[in-house]
Amino acid sequence: MFRFENPIYLWLLLLIPVLALVRFWGWRQRIKKLRKFGDLELLKELMPDVSRVRPSLKFWLLQAALALLIVILARPQMGTKISREKRNGIETVICLDISNSMLAEDVVPSRLQKSKMLVENLVDHFTNDKIGLIVFAGDAFVQLPITSDYVSAKMFLQNIEPSLIDMQGTDIARALTLATNSFTQQEKIGRAVIVITDGEDHEGGALEAAQAAKKRGINVFVLGVGDTKGSPIPDGQGGYMRDDGGEVVMTALNEEMCQQVAQAGSGKYIHVDNTSDAQESLNDALVKLQKGETDSVIYSEYDEQFQAFGILVLLLLIIEACILESKNPMTRKWSLFKVRRGAKIAVSLLLLFVAQGAFAQADRQHIRQGNKLYRQGLYDKAEVEYQKAQAANQRNPQALYNLGCALMMQQKDSAAIVQFENAGKLTTSPLRKAQAYHNMGWICQKHQMYGEAIEAYKESLRNNPADNETRYNLALCMRQQKQNQQQNQGGDNKKQEQKEEQEKNEQQQQQNQQKQQPKEQMSKENAEQLLNAAMQEEKATQQRMKKSMQHPNRRRLQKNW
């Protein structure tokens, strides 16, 4: 099968008939001028060295070379290209739960979208590893066989939705069994199965399947997505799914079952929340696996065929340079012939370099197509085009920045931050670098990661100090961070006051106990002595009252005084 990768350049072939018309008009003008000098037959005899055929032949040779150069610019492709590479890495199969419960939004933006973001970030960290993808619900099937083609893995990932499997449920055992049989026969290489699920295992048998994988040297990692408190499941129409009784269906993370499966599979359980801690923990765990040499077969549907056209162009230009317009040029125009031939060869080499340069800029075609889709709001398709541009040129900052924007519009925030950071490191434009770090700050601010947002905004202002919007967002983040710190400090002070109050109460209780203890231990003799003293004091008081009643005037004078 034959095709052109950039067929738009074929419109340049319209230059061929235009140039032919121009030459025909010039030839007619030349004949008119010659007729003014005299008869044409007589003029031919006066110019014996002039040839009528050679100029036309040279012209059409140049036309043919120009047409072939245009074909080269259109990138002719044909057949299937297969290349084999030696890689040193691990083999990983990802089992992604796509049951309806994964639509719950207790993890932003949803459990399923968060899982996709995790897989994309995992693929971005892979270099020489192989990856496979299995989707499961009540049943399981292979979405992507184990491969080293990371671009295809991301493309397949975009189309994953719960509607792919009609049978609802969560059959983790079926997914583990299918993943165990999906690895290659390579020996002495680390293998891992990553199960991303909310743990609602309705079918059973997951522990046995994990133990079977462990016996074959496969580590089973389980990523639990969701909240243990439970969350409703959106129905896609603004409401929530309900059971037969009309009650809202609640789905919660079964963390205990996930931990048991990971332990049975000699792996690790990782809880996935709105932070990036799960991604870092998973990367650290996979790094510890044994890496082995793998044979990777890279398939490309089409292979470039410009080399044959380039050779034809070079031959045509050489032939055209060797043909002169004069009939007998051996003595008089030999030096002119050498000059012309050297110039034509130099021009041909220059044109070939230009054509090869057009190849090197093939990533720009994907960027333009992605920009067109982005403006139409087709962010998922634009993401695929940007990924193709990135595959063609991994150090193109424009492709990385645009890919980050497409991911951000799809709320794939963690993956977008990675692309913005890479674009900021590679680009030499201060303005584009400032925009990349501004977008990173905005994403972190949205997720209330104020410390990271402040650092990103500061880096943006270092490259573009005149950006008032970035300065305003930086002030907001700094104020919010200060308020959070004050709230945390106030909470600590309250706890300290409660602790001091509790200690004070304990001391008071101890003092009361100490006061009560001597009364309980008082002897009978001491009690009688105290009672006699009190009675004597009472008698003395009564006697003083009688004496005061006998002298009322004295008391009145004392009162008046």
Side-chain angles (χ1 to χ4, degrees), residues 391-405:
N393 184 6
Q394 297 182 354
R395 300 188 62 82
N396 188 335
Q398 184 179 1
L400 295 172
Y401 178 81
N402 292 1
L403 177 58
C405 292

Side-chain angles (χ1 to χ4, degrees), residues 72 140 191 260:
I72 290 176
R191 294 184 174 89
Q260 293 175 357

Side-chain angles (χ1 to χ4, degrees), residues 42-62:
L42 180 60
L43 292 175
K44 289 179 183 180
E45 294 179 0
L46 295 175
M47 297 182 294
D49 295 338
V50 176
S51 174
R52 296 179 58 186
V53 177
R54 293 189 179 191
S56 298
L57 180 59
K58 290 169 64 66
F59 171 78
W60 289 110
L61 286 173
L62 289 176

Side-chain angles (χ1 to χ4, degrees), residues 367-540:
I367 292 177
R368 286 193 293 267
Q369 183 65 23
N371 293 341
K372 182 179 179 181
L373 296 170
Y374 186 91
R375 288 189 292 268
Q376 295 175 359
L378 304 175
Y379 303 117
D380 53 344
K381 296 182 180 179
E383 178 189 353
V384 175
E385 292 296 329
Y386 294 143
Q387 287 174 349
K388 291 180 180 179
Q390 184 182 4
N393 184 6
Q394 297 182 354
R395 300 188 62 82
N396 188 335
Q398 184 179 1
L400 295 172
Y401 178 81
N402 292 1
L403 177 58
C405 292
L407 292 170
M408 183 174 63
M409 296 304 295
Q410 300 177 75
Q411 297 184 355
K412 302 176 181 179
D413 294 335
S414 59
I417 288 178
V418 174
Q419 301 302 329
F420 284 136
E421 185 177 6
N422 294 335
K425 292 179 181 179
L426 293 176
T427 184
T428 57
S429 172
L431 182 60
R432 184 168 293 170
K433 182 176 293 187
Q435 292 174 347
Y437 282 104
H438 174 87
N439 291 347
M440 289 174 58
W442 184 84
I443 293 174
C444 294
Q445 181 181 359
K446 183 176 70 171
H447 290 281
Q448 299 181 359
M449 301 165 59
Y450 298 111
E452 293 81 353
I454 290 173
E455 295 300 324
Y457 284 141
K458 287 182 178 179
E459 185 65 27
S460 177
L461 288 174
R462 292 188 187 100
N463 293 276
N464 186 17
D467 191 345
N468 294 326
E469 182 180 357
T470 302
R471 187 175 290 103
Y472 176 76
N473 290 355
L474 175 61
L476 286 179
C477 290
M478 295 178 69
R479 185 176 66 180
Q480 188 64 39
Q481 186 185 43
K482 185 177 180 180
Q483 292 178 356
N484 292 343
Q485 291 176 353
Q486 291 176 352
Q487 291 176 359
N488 295 335
Q489 186 176 2
D492 295 339
N493 293 337
K494 187 175 181 180
K495 291 180 180 178
Q496 184 66 23
E497 292 177 357
Q498 293 177 352
K499 184 177 180 181
E500 292 177 355
E501 184 68 21
Q502 184 177 3
E503 292 177 353
K504 186 177 180 181
N505 294 334
E506 292 177 354
Q507 292 177 359
Q508 186 68 25
Q509 292 176 0
Q510 292 178 358
Q511 292 176 0
N512 295 335
Q513 291 176 0
Q514 291 176 0
K515 290 180 180 179
Q516 294 173 0
Q517 186 174 2
K519 294 180 180 179
E520 294 174 356
Q521 297 178 356
M522 184 180 296
S523 63
K524 184 177 180 180
E525 296 177 354
N526 293 336
E528 291 178 351
Q529 291 177 0
L530 290 174
L531 181 60
N532 293 331
M535 292 174 64
Q536 291 177 1
E537 181 67 25
E538 181 65 21
K539 291 179 179 179

